[in-house]
Amino acid sequence: MEKFKIITIVDESYPPMLNTIKDAPIVLYAIGDLTLLSYSPALSVIGTRKPTMEASQKMEIFVKPLVKEKWVIVSGMAMGIDSLAHKITLGHNGKTIAVLGGGFHHIYPKQNISLFHQIAKHGLVLSEYPPDLSPARYHFPERNRIISGLGFGTLVIEATERSGTLITVEQALDQGREVFAVPGSPLQPQTKGCHQMIQDGAKLVHEAVDILEEWDVISKLTT
C-alpha cells in the first residue's frame, strides 16, 4: 500500500480549482504527484460504465490529442469510460487524476486494483473518504463534484438517458464549468444522454481542437 498524504482546505497544496466550489471537501487523502492538484489545464472525462465498441476510438480522437498537449485528465476510475480515460492517458505517458468513491484500502471495482497502482505511481489518486472507509452507493454522486471541480470543463464521451454521468454534468454546470458532449449514432443508447445534453446546452464537439479552442478563449479571459 502506497503512503498517502492528507490535505486540508486551508493547506497551500489544496487544489485552487476545487476551492472555488461551494461544497468543497474539507479534507482530501492523496497518493501520488501532488503537483497535479494545481496543474492547468485539466479536463474531466466521464461516461457510461457500459460503453460501445467505438468508445476506444472516440478516446483516440478526443483524449489522446489533449494528453499530447500535456493536459491532465481527471476521472473516477469506474468501469467503462472512466477506466479508458485513465488508461489512454497513461498509455501516452500523460498525467491523470482518479477520484475514488471510497478509501484507499477498499479499491472499487476490484478489477481496477492494478490501474489504481499505476495511477498512484504515474499520476494522482484522491479520495475525501478515510482509507478504511468502504465505498457506499451515495459516495459516488458525492465524489462527482470533485471530478468536475478539478477541471475547467467536463467531456462526456458516452452516456445513456438515465446515466449517473448526468449527476456529474449537473455538478459541473452548478460550478460554472464547461460541458462538452460527443455526438453519436441515434441507434446507440449510449449516445442518447449526450444528445440530450447537447439539446440542453452542452457544447457539441467534433474533435479535440474544439476543446483546445474553448480553453484558449477561457484562459485568455482569466489571465
Side-chain angles (χ1 to χ4, degrees):
M1 176 68 194
E2 290 88 348
K3 289 184 179 178
F4 64 86
K5 300 180 180 70
I6 298 174
I7 304 160
T8 72
I9 200 165
V10 296
D11 292 337
E12 282 187 21
S13 56
Y14 192 87
M17 287 289 286
L18 212 52
N19 222 338
T20 64
I21 69 173
K22 64 185 180 186
D23 49 358
I26 305 299
V27 176
L28 288 170
Y29 299 86
I31 299 176
D33 185 358
L34 293 183
T35 65
L36 299 184
L37 291 175
S38 56
Y39 190 92
S40 183
L43 181 74
S44 307
V45 179
I46 60 171
T48 178
R49 285 173 166 77
K50 296 180 179 179
T52 66
M53 298 288 285
E54 297 171 346
S56 293
Q57 292 172 279
K58 292 176 183 178
M59 289 287 180
E60 289 287 329
I61 293 170
F62 292 98
V63 179
K64 180 181 172 182
L66 300 178
V67 173
K68 294 291 187 182
E69 292 288 329
K70 308 294 189 212
W71 284 40
V72 169
I73 303 300
V74 184
S75 200
M77 215 180 77
M79 297 301 289
I81 297 296
D82 287 23
S83 296
L84 286 172
H86 294 305
K87 287 174 181 175
I88 195 168
T89 305
L90 293 171
H92 292 284
N93 299 312
K95 297 298 183 182
T96 188
I97 300 174
V99 185
L100 308 187
F104 297 141
H105 295 162
H106 300 277
I107 300 305
Y108 177 85
K110 284 187 164 47
Q111 299 99 305
N112 278 349
I113 288 175
S114 174
L115 180 60
F116 162 75
H117 289 298
Q118 287 179 57
I119 298 171
K121 184 176 180 181
H122 301 288
L124 179 66
V125 187
L126 292 178
S127 179
E128 64 179 315
Y129 307 107
D132 289 332
L133 192 64
S134 297
R137 180 176 284 261
Y138 63 89
H139 287 175
F140 295 95
E142 283 181 354
R143 67 90 195 259
N144 289 350
R145 78 191 193 286
I146 302 176
I147 294 173
S148 57
L150 284 168
F152 95 98
T154 292
L155 171 63
V156 183
I157 301 291
E158 290 182 347
T160 57
E161 278 185 295
R162 300 184 182 277
S163 173
T165 301
L166 302 178
I167 297 171
T168 312
V169 168
E170 287 174 12
Q171 299 275 15
L173 293 171
D174 191 48
Q175 294 163 352
R177 306 296 198 252
E178 301 297 316
V179 175
F180 306 98
V182 178
S185 167
L187 305 178
Q188 297 278 13
Q190 292 94 330
T191 63
K192 288 189 175 181
C194 289
H195 293 166
Q196 185 63 54
M197 290 171 206
I198 292 165
Q199 282 188 327
D200 292 342
K203 293 181 172 67
L204 184 155
V205 286
H206 288 294
E207 53 190 345
V209 170
D210 298 332
I211 302 170
L212 289 164
E213 288 177 350
E214 191 72 25
W215 166 249
D216 196 43
V217 171
I218 290 170
S219 60
K220 284 175 181 173
L221 290 174
T222 55
T223 52

